[in-house]
Amino acid sequence: MSRLVIDNGAVLTMDDARSVHFGGHVVIDGDRITAVGAGRYDPAGAGAGAGAGAGAGASASASSEAEAARAVFYFVRDLRYRGGDFEDLEIYRASSVLAGGHGYCVGKASLCAALARAAAIPARLGFADVRNHLASPRLLAAMGTDVFAWHGYAQLFLGGRWVSVSPTFDRATCERAGVAPLEFDGEHDALLQSFDGSGATMSYIKRHGIFHDVPARFLAAEMPSLYPFARDHGITRFLRSEP
């Protein structure tokens, strides 16, 4: 699978650790993606001309953009799914998710958008309340509801339109749950994670809109208010008490 190495904020290839790609560049060596320049996203542009690489090289073709988007998606998807304390702003930060090798939906969506932008693909974030979210009965009992508020996903500007992707659950997590991991073809939305063997999928019951960055401080306050068990580092306590 694709791999990334971070060294002092620079992204390096696995094959040539001395080949530094300046800020905003990304190399995912498993799928031979090399961004020609720093990706940038102009919110006012809404994708019209946004994300063009700065530096040498022409704009990527539609097919190469789709390949890059798929590689980013699968790389992020198969980082380990793991929750963290909502008060800890690092769980929302793309670089922290990448460095740690794990994250929950919002942090992984943040990383997906960051890597897409670095590969000159405009990207943004979406949030929604969902049902049929993979979870243990123990977690659902602690939450007191089956609604997962502020589920995070990414939107990538591909083929002239915004495509929504949710790289939340890694393959190993899905295997433990007995469901297939979510796939992405580089063209169509990939949001409906399989929930069980009956064909049920994650259900988006309330959309909170589109954001250009993670509303981290809002989530740090809002999530513990919605789920009291998570207050005062409750997620850490919950994970440590797992049988």
Side-chain angles (χ1 to χ4, degrees), residues 112-209:
C112 183
L115 292 180
R117 290 172 180 175
I121 298 171
R124 60 191 189 181
L125 300 169
F127 293 88
D129 296 348
V130 300
R131 280 197 170 98
N132 291 351
H133 185 290
L134 297 182
S136 67
R138 180 171 169 266
L139 176 58
L140 293 175
M143 292 172 53
T145 178
D146 64 347
V147 175
F148 283 72
W150 289 87
H151 167 72
Y153 59 95
Q155 286 194 330
L156 314 180
F157 196 74
L158 299 166
R161 67 185 186 90
W162 291 105
V163 177
S164 300
V165 297
S166 179
T168 300
F169 296 109
D170 59 278
R171 181 176 293 278
T173 294
C174 290
E175 288 176 352
R176 288 193 297 272
V179 299
L182 191 59
E183 307 291 346
F184 178 45
D185 63 6
E187 181 179 357
H188 300 95
D189 289 349
L191 284 177
L192 303 180
Q193 167 65 50
S194 178
F195 177 65
D196 58 27
S198 71
T201 65
M202 182 181 287
S203 173
Y204 290 69
I205 60 175
K206 181 180 180 181
R207 304 274 182 166
H208 293 296

Coordinates of all heavy atoms in Angstrom, one line a residue, residues 112-209:
C112 N -7.1 13.7 4.4 CA -7.5 13.4 3.0 C -7.5 14.7 2.2 O -7.0 14.8 1.1 CB -8.8 12.7 2.9 SG -9.4 12.2 1.3
A113 N -8.2 15.7 2.8 CA -8.2 17.0 2.1 C -6.9 17.6 1.9 O -6.5 18.2 0.9 CB -9.2 17.9 2.8
A114 N -6.0 17.5 3.0 CA -4.7 18.1 2.9 C -3.8 17.5 1.9 O -3.1 18.2 1.1 CB -4.0 18.0 4.3
L115 N -3.9 16.2 1.8 CA -3.1 15.5 0.8 C -3.6 15.7 -0.6 O -2.8 15.9 -1.6 CB -3.0 14.0 1.1 CG -2.3 13.5 2.3 CD1 -2.4 12.0 2.5 CD2 -0.8 14.0 2.3
A116 N -4.9 15.8 -0.8 CA -5.4 16.1 -2.1 C -5.0 17.5 -2.5 O -4.6 17.7 -3.7 CB -7.0 16.0 -2.0
R117 N -5.1 18.5 -1.6 CA -4.6 19.8 -2.0 C -3.2 19.8 -2.3 O -2.7 20.5 -3.3 CB -4.9 20.8 -0.8 CG -6.4 21.1 -0.6 CD -6.6 21.9 0.7 NE -8.0 22.1 0.9 CZ -8.5 22.7 2.0 NH1 -7.7 23.1 3.0 NH2 -9.8 22.9 2.2
A118 N -2.4 19.1 -1.6 CA -0.9 19.0 -1.9 C -0.7 18.4 -3.2 O 0.3 18.7 -3.9 CB -0.2 18.2 -0.8
A119 N -1.6 17.6 -3.7 CA -1.5 17.0 -5.0 C -2.2 17.8 -6.1 O -2.5 17.3 -7.1 CB -2.0 15.5 -5.0
A120 N -2.5 19.1 -5.7 CA -3.1 20.0 -6.6 C -4.6 19.7 -7.0 O -5.1 20.1 -8.0 CB -2.3 20.2 -7.9
I121 N -5.2 19.0 -6.1 CA -6.7 18.7 -6.2 C -7.4 19.5 -5.2 O -7.2 19.4 -4.0 CB -7.0 17.2 -6.0 CG1 -6.3 16.3 -7.0 CG2 -8.5 17.0 -6.1 CD1 -6.4 14.8 -6.8
P122 N -8.3 20.5 -5.6 CA -9.0 21.2 -4.6 C -9.8 20.3 -3.7 O -10.4 19.3 -4.2 CB -10.0 22.1 -5.5 CG -9.3 22.2 -6.8 CD -8.6 20.9 -7.0
A123 N -9.9 20.6 -2.5 CA -10.6 19.8 -1.5 C -11.2 20.6 -0.4 O -10.7 21.7 -0.1 CB -9.6 18.7 -0.9
R124 N -12.2 20.1 0.2 CA -12.8 20.8 1.4 C -13.5 19.7 2.2 O -13.4 18.5 1.9 CB -13.9 21.8 0.9 CG -15.0 21.2 0.0 CD -15.8 22.3 -0.7 NE -17.0 21.7 -1.3 CZ -17.9 22.4 -2.0 NH1 -17.7 23.7 -2.2 NH2 -19.0 21.8 -2.5
L125 N -14.1 20.1 3.3 CA -14.7 19.2 4.3 C -16.2 19.3 4.4 O -16.7 20.4 4.3 CB -14.0 19.4 5.7 CG -12.5 19.3 5.7 CD1 -12.0 19.8 7.0 CD2 -12.1 17.8 5.5
G126 N -16.8 18.2 4.7 CA -18.3 18.2 4.9 C -18.5 17.5 6.3 O -17.7 16.7 6.7
F127 N -19.6 17.9 6.9 CA -20.0 17.3 8.2 C -21.5 16.9 8.2 O -22.3 17.6 7.6 CB -19.7 18.3 9.3 CG -18.2 18.5 9.5 CD1 -17.6 19.5 8.8 CD2 -17.5 17.7 10.4 CE1 -16.2 19.7 9.0 CE2 -16.1 17.9 10.5 CZ -15.5 18.9 9.8
A128 N -21.8 15.8 8.9 CA -23.2 15.4 8.9 C -23.4 14.5 10.1 O -22.4 13.9 10.6 CB -23.5 14.6 7.7
D129 N -24.6 14.5 10.6 CA -25.0 13.5 11.6 C -25.4 12.2 10.9 O -26.1 12.2 9.9 CB -26.2 14.0 12.5 CG -25.9 15.2 13.3 OD1 -24.7 15.6 13.4 OD2 -26.8 15.8 13.8
V130 N -24.9 11.0 11.4 CA -25.1 9.8 10.7 C -25.7 8.7 11.7 O -25.4 8.7 12.9 CB -23.9 9.3 10.1 CG1 -23.3 10.3 9.0 CG2 -22.8 8.9 11.1
R131 N -26.3 7.7 11.1 CA -26.7 6.5 11.8 C -26.0 5.3 11.0 O -25.4 5.5 10.0 CB -28.2 6.2 11.8 CG -28.9 7.0 12.9 CD -30.3 6.4 13.1 NE -30.9 7.0 14.3 CZ -31.8 8.0 14.3 NH1 -32.1 8.5 13.1 NH2 -32.3 8.5 15.4
N132 N -26.0 4.2 11.6 CA -25.4 3.0 11.0 C -23.9 3.2 10.9 O -23.3 2.8 9.9 CB -26.0 2.6 9.7 CG -27.4 2.1 9.8 OD1 -27.9 1.8 10.9 ND2 -28.1 1.9 8.7
H133 N -23.3 3.8 11.9 CA -21.9 4.0 12.0 C -21.3 2.8 12.7 O -21.8 2.4 13.7 CB -21.6 5.3 12.8 CG -20.2 5.8 13.0 ND1 -19.3 5.1 13.7 CD2 -19.6 6.9 12.5 CE1 -18.1 5.7 13.6 NE2 -18.3 6.8 12.9
L134 N -20.2 2.2 12.2 CA -19.6 1.1 12.8 C -19.2 1.4 14.2 O -18.5 2.4 14.5 CB -18.4 0.6 12.0 CG -18.6 0.1 10.6 CD1 -17.3 -0.4 10.0 CD2 -19.7 -1.0 10.6
A135 N -19.7 0.6 15.2 CA -19.4 0.9 16.6 C -19.8 -0.4 17.4 O -20.6 -1.1 17.0 CB -20.2 2.1 17.1
S136 N -19.1 -0.5 18.5 CA -19.4 -1.6 19.4 C -20.6 -1.3 20.2 O -20.9 -0.2 20.5 CB -18.2 -1.9 20.4 OG -18.0 -0.8 21.2
P137 N -21.3 -2.4 20.7 CA -22.5 -2.1 21.6 C -22.0 -1.4 22.8 O -22.8 -0.5 23.4 CB -22.9 -3.6 22.0 CG -22.5 -4.4 20.8 CD -21.2 -3.8 20.3
R138 N -20.8 -1.6 23.3 CA -20.3 -0.9 24.5 C -20.2 0.6 24.2 O -20.6 1.5 25.1 CB -19.0 -1.4 24.9 CG -18.3 -0.8 26.1 CD -17.1 -1.6 26.6 NE -16.4 -0.8 27.5 CZ -15.3 -0.1 27.3 NH1 -14.9 0.1 26.0 NH2 -14.7 0.6 28.2
L139 N -19.7 1.0 23.1 CA -19.7 2.4 22.7 C -21.0 3.0 22.6 O -21.3 4.2 23.1 CB -18.8 2.6 21.5 CG -18.8 4.1 20.9 CD1 -18.2 5.0 22.0 CD2 -18.0 4.1 19.6
L140 N -22.0 2.3 21.9 CA -23.3 2.9 21.7 C -24.0 3.1 23.1 O -24.7 4.0 23.3 CB -24.1 1.9 20.9 CG -23.7 1.8 19.4 CD1 -24.5 0.7 18.7 CD2 -23.8 3.1 18.7
A141 N -23.7 2.1 24.0 CA -24.3 2.3 25.4 C -23.8 3.5 26.1 O -24.5 4.3 26.7 CB -24.1 1.0 26.2
A142 N -22.5 3.7 25.9 CA -21.8 4.9 26.6 C -22.4 6.2 26.0 O -22.6 7.2 26.7 CB -20.3 4.8 26.4
M143 N -22.6 6.2 24.6 CA -23.1 7.4 24.0 C -24.6 7.7 24.3 O -25.0 8.8 24.3 CB -23.0 7.2 22.4 CG -21.5 7.2 21.9 SD -21.4 6.8 20.2 CE -22.6 7.9 19.4
G144 N -25.3 6.6 24.5 CA -26.8 6.8 24.8 C -27.6 7.0 23.6 O -28.7 7.5 23.7
T145 N -27.0 6.8 22.4 CA -27.7 7.0 21.2 C -27.0 6.3 20.0 O -25.8 6.0 20.2 CB -27.8 8.6 20.8 OG1 -28.4 8.7 19.6 CG2 -26.4 9.2 20.8
D146 N -27.7 6.1 18.9 CA -27.0 5.5 17.8 C -26.7 6.6 16.7 O -26.3 6.3 15.6 CB -27.8 4.4 17.1 CG -29.2 4.9 16.6 OD1 -29.6 6.1 16.8 OD2 -29.8 4.2 15.8
V147 N -26.9 7.8 17.1 CA -26.6 9.0 16.2 C -25.1 9.5 16.5 O -24.8 9.8 17.6 CB -27.6 10.1 16.3 CG1 -27.1 11.3 15.4 CG2 -29.0 9.6 15.9
F148 N -24.3 9.5 15.4 CA -23.0 10.0 15.5 C -23.0 11.4 14.9 O -23.1 11.6 13.7 CB -22.0 9.1 14.8 CG -21.6 7.9 15.6 CD1 -22.5 6.8 15.7 CD2 -20.3 7.7 16.1 CE1 -22.2 5.7 16.4 CE2 -20.0 6.6 16.8 CZ -20.9 5.6 17.0
A149 N -22.9 12.4 15.8 CA -22.9 13.8 15.3 C -21.6 14.2 14.7 O -20.5 13.8 15.1 CB -23.3 14.7 16.5
W150 N -21.7 15.1 13.8 CA -20.6 15.8 13.1 C -19.5 14.7 12.6 O -18.3 14.9 12.8 CB -19.9 16.7 14.1 CG -20.8 18.0 14.3 CD1 -21.8 18.1 15.2 CD2 -20.7 19.2 13.5 NE1 -22.4 19.3 15.1 CE2 -21.8 20.0 14.1 CE3 -19.9 19.6 12.5 CZ2 -22.0 21.3 13.5 CZ3 -20.2 20.9 12.0 CH2 -21.2 21.7 12.5
H151 N -20.1 13.7 11.9 CA -19.2 12.8 11.1 C -18.5 13.7 10.0 O -19.2 14.4 9.3 CB -20.0 11.7 10.5 CG -19.3 10.9 9.5 ND1 -18.3 10.0 9.8 CD2 -19.5 10.9 8.1 CE1 -17.9 9.5 8.7 NE2 -18.6 9.9 7.7
G152 N -17.2 13.5 9.9 CA -16.5 14.3 8.9 C -16.2 13.5 7.6 O -15.9 12.3 7.7
Y153 N -16.3 14.1 6.5 CA -15.9 13.5 5.2 C -15.2 14.6 4.4 O -15.2 15.8 4.7 CB -17.1 12.9 4.5 CG -18.2 13.8 4.2 CD1 -18.3 14.4 2.9 CD2 -19.2 14.1 5.1 CE1 -19.4 15.3 2.7 CE2 -20.2 14.9 4.9 CZ -20.3 15.5 3.6 OH -21.4 16.4 3.3
A154 N -14.6 14.2 3.3 CA -13.9 15.1 2.4 C -14.7 15.2 1.1 O -15.3 14.3 0.7 CB -12.5 14.7 2.2
Q155 N -14.5 16.4 0.5 CA -15.0 16.6 -0.9 C -13.8 17.0 -1.8 O -13.0 17.9 -1.4 CB -16.1 17.7 -1.0 CG -17.4 17.2 -0.5 CD -18.5 18.2 -0.9 OE1 -18.3 19.4 -1.0 NE2 -19.7 17.6 -1.0
L156 N -13.6 16.3 -2.9 CA -12.5 16.5 -3.9 C -13.1 17.0 -5.2 O -14.1 16.5 -5.6 CB -11.7 15.2 -4.1 CG -11.4 14.4 -2.9 CD1 -10.6 13.2 -3.3 CD2 -10.6 15.3 -1.9
F157 N -12.5 18.0 -5.8 CA -13.0 18.6 -7.0 C -12.4 17.8 -8.2 O -11.2 18.0 -8.5 CB -12.7 20.1 -7.1 CG -13.5 20.8 -8.1 CD1 -14.8 21.1 -7.9 CD2 -12.9 21.2 -9.3 CE1 -15.6 21.8 -8.9 CE2 -13.6 21.9 -10.3 CZ -15.0 22.2 -10.1
L158 N -13.2 16.9 -8.8 CA -12.7 16.0 -9.8 C -13.7 16.1 -11.0 O -14.9 16.0 -10.8 CB -12.6 14.6 -9.3 CG -11.7 14.4 -8.1 CD1 -11.9 13.0 -7.5 CD2 -10.2 14.5 -8.6
G159 N -13.1 16.2 -12.2 CA -14.0 16.1 -13.4 C -15.0 17.3 -13.4 O -16.1 17.1 -14.0
G160 N -14.6 18.4 -12.8 CA -15.5 19.6 -12.9 C -16.6 19.6 -11.8 O -17.5 20.4 -11.9
R161 N -16.6 18.7 -10.8 CA -17.6 18.7 -9.8 C -17.0 18.2 -8.5 O -15.9 17.5 -8.5 CB -18.8 17.8 -10.2 CG -18.5 16.3 -10.3 CD -19.7 15.5 -10.8 NE -19.4 14.1 -10.8 CZ -19.7 13.3 -9.8 NH1 -20.3 13.8 -8.7 NH2 -19.5 12.0 -9.8
W162 N -17.7 18.4 -7.4 CA -17.3 18.0 -6.1 C -17.7 16.5 -5.9 O -18.9 16.2 -6.0 CB -17.9 18.9 -5.0 CG -17.3 20.3 -5.0 CD1 -17.9 21.4 -5.4 CD2 -16.0 20.6 -4.5 NE1 -17.0 22.5 -5.3 CE2 -15.9 22.0 -4.7 CE3 -14.9 19.9 -4.0 CZ2 -14.7 22.7 -4.4 CZ3 -13.8 20.6 -3.6 CH2 -13.7 22.0 -3.8
V163 N -16.8 15.7 -5.5 CA -17.0 14.3 -5.2 C -16.8 14.1 -3.7 O -15.7 14.5 -3.2 CB -16.1 13.4 -6.1 CG1 -16.3 11.9 -5.7 CG2 -16.4 13.7 -7.5
S164 N -17.7 13.4 -3.0 CA -17.6 13.2 -1.6 C -17.1 11.9 -1.3 O -17.5 10.9 -1.8 CB -19.0 13.4 -0.9 OG -19.6 14.7 -1.2
V165 N -16.1 11.8 -0.3 CA -15.5 10.6 0.1 C -15.4 10.5 1.6 O -15.1 11.5 2.2 CB -14.1 10.4 -0.6 CG1 -14.2 10.3 -2.1 CG2 -13.1 11.5 -0.2
S166 N -15.5 9.3 2.1 CA -15.4 9.1 3.6 C -14.4 8.0 3.9 O -14.7 6.8 3.9 CB -16.8 8.7 4.2 OG -16.7 8.5 5.6
P167 N -13.1 8.4 4.0 CA -12.0 7.4 4.2 C -11.9 7.0 5.7 O -10.8 7.0 6.2 CB -10.8 8.1 3.7 CG -11.0 9.6 4.1 CD -12.5 9.8 3.9
T168 N -13.0 6.8 6.4 CA -13.0 6.6 7.8 C -12.5 5.3 8.3 O -11.6 5.2 9.1 CB -14.4 6.8 8.3 OG1 -14.9 8.1 8.0 CG2 -14.5 6.7 9.9
F169 N -13.1 4.2 7.8 CA -12.8 2.9 8.4 C -11.7 2.1 7.6 O -11.9 1.8 6.4 CB -14.1 2.1 8.5 CG -15.1 2.7 9.5 CD1 -16.2 3.3 9.0 CD2 -14.8 2.8 10.8 CE1 -17.1 3.9 9.9 CE2 -15.7 3.4 11.7 CZ -16.9 3.9 11.2
D170 N -10.7 1.7 8.2 CA -9.6 1.0 7.6 C -10.1 -0.5 7.4 O -11.1 -0.9 7.9 CB -8.3 1.0 8.4 CG -8.6 0.4 9.8 OD1 -9.1 1.2 10.7 OD2 -8.3 -0.8 10.0
R171 N -9.3 -1.2 6.5 CA -9.7 -2.5 6.1 C -9.8 -3.4 7.4 O -10.7 -4.3 7.5 CB -8.7 -3.1 5.1 CG -9.0 -4.5 4.6 CD -8.1 -4.9 3.6 NE -8.2 -4.2 2.4 CZ -9.2 -4.4 1.4 NH1 -10.0 -5.4 1.6 NH2 -9.3 -3.7 0.4
A172 N -8.8 -3.3 8.3 CA -8.8 -4.2 9.4 C -10.0 -4.0 10.3 O -10.6 -5.0 10.8 CB -7.5 -4.0 10.2
T173 N -10.4 -2.7 10.5 CA -11.6 -2.5 11.3 C -12.8 -3.1 10.6 O -13.7 -3.7 11.3 CB -11.8 -0.9 11.5 OG1 -10.7 -0.4 12.3 CG2 -13.1 -0.6 12.2
C174 N -12.9 -2.9 9.3 CA -14.1 -3.5 8.6 C -14.1 -5.0 8.7 O -15.1 -5.6 8.9 CB -14.0 -3.0 7.2 SG -14.4 -1.3 6.9
E175 N -12.9 -5.6 8.6 CA -12.8 -7.1 8.7 C -13.3 -7.6 10.1 O -14.1 -8.6 10.2 CB -11.4 -7.6 8.4 CG -11.0 -7.5 7.0 CD -9.6 -7.8 6.7 OE1 -8.8 -8.0 7.7 OE2 -9.2 -7.9 5.6
R176 N -12.9 -6.8 11.1 CA -13.4 -7.2 12.5 C -14.9 -7.1 12.6 O -15.6 -7.8 13.3 CB -12.7 -6.4 13.5 CG -11.3 -6.7 13.8 CD -10.7 -6.0 15.0 NE -10.8 -4.6 15.0 CZ -9.8 -3.8 14.5 NH1 -8.7 -4.4 14.0 NH2 -9.9 -2.5 14.5
A177 N -15.5 -6.1 11.9 CA -16.9 -5.9 11.9 C -17.7 -6.8 10.9 O -18.9 -6.8 10.9 CB -17.3 -4.4 11.6
G178 N -16.9 -7.5 10.1 CA -17.6 -8.4 9.2 C -18.2 -7.7 8.0 O -19.2 -8.2 7.4
V179 N -17.7 -6.5 7.6 CA -18.2 -5.8 6.5 C -17.1 -5.5 5.5 O -15.9 -5.5 5.8 CB -18.9 -4.5 6.9 CG1 -20.1 -4.8 7.8 CG2 -18.0 -3.6 7.6
A180 N -17.5 -5.1 4.3 CA -16.5 -4.7 3.3 C -16.1 -3.3 3.5 O -16.9 -2.4 3.8 CB -17.1 -4.9 1.9
P181 N -14.8 -3.0 3.3 CA -14.4 -1.6 3.4 C -15.0 -0.8 2.2 O -15.3 -1.3 1.1 CB -12.9 -1.7 3.3 CG -12.6 -2.9 2.6 CD -13.7 -3.9 2.9
L182 N -15.1 0.5 2.4 CA -15.6 1.4 1.4 C -14.6 1.6 0.2 O -13.4 1.7 0.5 CB -15.9 2.8 2.0 CG -16.7 3.8 1.2 CD1 -18.0 3.2 0.8 CD2 -16.9 5.1 2.0
E183 N -15.0 1.5 -1.0 CA -14.2 1.6 -2.2 C -14.5 2.9 -2.9 O -15.5 3.5 -2.7 CB -14.4 0.5 -3.1 CG -14.3 -0.9 -2.5 CD -12.9 -1.3 -2.1 OE1 -11.9 -0.6 -2.5 OE2 -12.7 -2.3 -1.4
F184 N -13.5 3.4 -3.6 CA -13.6 4.7 -4.3 C -13.0 4.5 -5.7 O -11.9 4.1 -5.9 CB -12.8 5.8 -3.6 CG -12.8 7.1 -4.2 CD1 -14.0 7.7 -4.8 CD2 -11.7 7.9 -4.3 CE1 -14.0 8.9 -5.4 CE2 -11.7 9.1 -4.9 CZ -12.8 9.6 -5.5
D185 N -13.8 4.9 -6.8 CA -13.3 4.7 -8.1 C -12.7 6.0 -8.7 O -12.3 6.0 -9.9 CB -14.5 4.2 -9.0 CG -15.6 5.3 -9.1 OD1 -15.5 6.4 -8.6 OD2 -16.7 4.9 -9.7
G186 N -12.6 7.0 -7.9 CA -12.0 8.3 -8.4 C -13.0 9.1 -9.2 O -12.6 10.2 -9.7
E187 N -14.2 8.7 -9.2 CA -15.2 9.5 -10.0 C -16.5 9.7 -9.3 O -17.1 10.8 -9.4 CB -15.5 8.7 -11.3 CG -16.5 9.4 -12.3 CD -16.7 8.6 -13.5 OE1 -16.1 7.6 -13.7 OE2 -17.6 9.1 -14.3
H188 N -17.0 8.7 -8.6 CA -18.3 8.8 -7.9 C -18.1 8.9 -6.4 O -17.1 8.6 -5.8 CB -19.1 7.6 -8.2 CG -19.4 7.4 -9.7 ND1 -18.6 6.6 -10.5 CD2 -20.3 7.9 -10.5 CE1 -19.1 6.6 -11.7 NE2 -20.1 7.4 -11.8
D189 N -19.2 9.4 -5.7 CA -19.2 9.6 -4.3 C -18.9 8.2 -3.6 O -19.3 7.2 -4.1 CB -20.5 10.1 -3.8 CG -20.8 11.5 -4.1 OD1 -19.8 12.2 -4.6 OD2 -21.9 12.0 -3.9
A190 N -18.2 8.3 -2.5 CA -17.9 7.1 -1.7 C -18.2 7.5 -0.3 O -17.3 7.8 0.5 CB -16.4 6.6 -1.9
L191 N -19.4 7.4 0.1 CA -19.9 7.8 1.4 C -20.6 6.7 2.2 O -20.6 6.8 3.4 CB -20.9 9.0 1.3 CG -20.4 10.4 1.0 CD1 -21.5 11.4 0.8 CD2 -19.4 10.9 2.0
L192 N -21.1 5.7 1.5 CA -22.1 4.8 2.2 C -21.3 3.6 2.6 O -21.4 2.5 2.0 CB -23.2 4.5 1.2 CG -24.0 5.7 0.7 CD1 -25.1 5.2 -0.2 CD2 -24.6 6.5 1.9
Q193 N -20.6 3.7 3.7 CA -19.9 2.5 4.3 C -20.9 1.4 4.7 O -22.0 1.7 5.3 CB -19.2 3.0 5.6 CG -18.7 1.9 6.5 CD -17.6 1.0 5.8 OE1 -16.6 1.6 5.3 NE2 -17.7 -0.3 5.8
S194 N -20.6 0.2 4.3 CA -21.4 -1.0 4.6 C -21.5 -1.1 6.1 O -20.5 -0.9 6.9 CB -20.8 -2.2 4.0 OG -21.6 -3.4 4.3
F195 N -22.7 -1.4 6.6 CA -23.0 -1.5 8.0 C -23.1 -2.9 8.5 O -22.6 -3.3 9.6 CB -24.2 -0.7 8.4 CG -24.6 -0.8 9.8 CD1 -23.8 -0.2 10.8 CD2 -25.8 -1.4 10.2 CE1 -24.2 -0.3 12.1 CE2 -26.2 -1.4 11.6 CZ -25.3 -0.9 12.5
D196 N -23.7 -3.8 7.7 CA -23.8 -5.2 8.1 C -24.0 -6.0 6.9 O -23.9 -5.5 5.7 CB -25.0 -5.4 9.1 CG -26.3 -4.9 8.5 OD1 -26.5 -4.9 7.3 OD2 -27.2 -4.5 9.3
G197 N -24.3 -7.3 7.1 CA -24.4 -8.2 5.9 C -25.7 -8.1 5.2 O -25.9 -8.8 4.2
S198 N -26.6 -7.3 5.7 CA -28.0 -7.2 5.1 C -28.0 -6.2 3.9 O -29.1 -6.1 3.3 CB -29.0 -6.8 6.2 OG -28.8 -5.4 6.5
G199 N -27.0 -5.5 3.7 CA -27.0 -4.4 2.7 C -27.2 -3.1 3.3 O -27.2 -2.1 2.5
A200 N -27.4 -2.9 4.6 CA -27.5 -1.6 5.2 C -26.2 -0.9 5.1 O -25.1 -1.4 5.2 CB -28.0 -1.8 6.6
T201 N -26.3 0.5 5.0 CA -25.2 1.3 4.9 C -25.3 2.5 5.9 O -26.4 2.7 6.5 CB -25.0 1.9 3.5 OG1 -26.1 2.8 3.2 CG2 -24.9 0.8 2.5
M202 N -24.2 3.2 6.1 CA -24.2 4.4 6.9 C -25.3 5.3 6.3 O -25.4 5.5 5.1 CB -22.9 5.1 6.9 CG -22.8 6.3 7.8 SD -21.2 7.1 7.7 CE -20.2 6.0 8.8
S203 N -26.1 6.0 7.2 CA -27.2 6.8 6.8 C -26.9 8.3 7.2 O -26.6 8.5 8.4 CB -28.5 6.3 7.3 OG -29.5 7.2 7.1
Y204 N -26.9 9.2 6.3 CA -26.7 10.6 6.6 C -28.0 11.3 6.9 O -28.8 11.5 6.0 CB -26.0 11.3 5.4 CG -24.5 10.8 5.3 CD1 -24.3 9.5 4.8 CD2 -23.5 11.7 5.5 CE1 -22.9 9.1 4.7 CE2 -22.2 11.2 5.4 CZ -21.9 9.9 5.0 OH -20.6 9.5 4.9
I205 N -28.3 11.6 8.1 CA -29.6 12.1 8.5 C -29.7 13.6 8.7 O -30.8 14.1 8.7 CB -30.0 11.4 9.9 CG1 -29.1 11.7 11.0 CG2 -30.2 9.9 9.6 CD1 -29.5 11.2 12.3
K206 N -28.6 14.3 8.8 CA -28.6 15.7 8.9 C -27.2 16.3 8.5 O -26.2 16.0 9.0 CB -28.8 16.2 10.4 CG -28.9 17.7 10.5 CD -29.2 18.1 12.0 CE -29.2 19.6 12.1 NZ -29.4 20.0 13.6
R207 N -27.3 17.1 7.5 CA -26.1 17.7 6.9 C -25.8 19.1 7.6 O -26.7 19.9 7.9 CB -26.2 18.0 5.4 CG -26.6 16.8 4.6 CD -25.4 16.0 4.2 NE -25.8 14.8 3.4 CZ -24.9 14.1 2.6 NH1 -23.6 14.4 2.7 NH2 -25.3 13.1 1.9
H208 N -24.5 19.3 8.0 CA -24.1 20.5 8.6 C -23.4 21.5 7.7 O -23.0 22.6 8.1 CB -23.2 20.2 9.8 CG -23.9 19.5 10.9 ND1 -25.0 20.0 11.7 CD2 -23.7 18.3 11.4 CE1 -25.4 19.2 12.6 NE2 -24.6 18.1 12.4
G209 N -23.3 21.1 6.4 CA -22.7 22.0 5.5 C -21.2 21.7 5.1 O -20.7 20.7 5.6

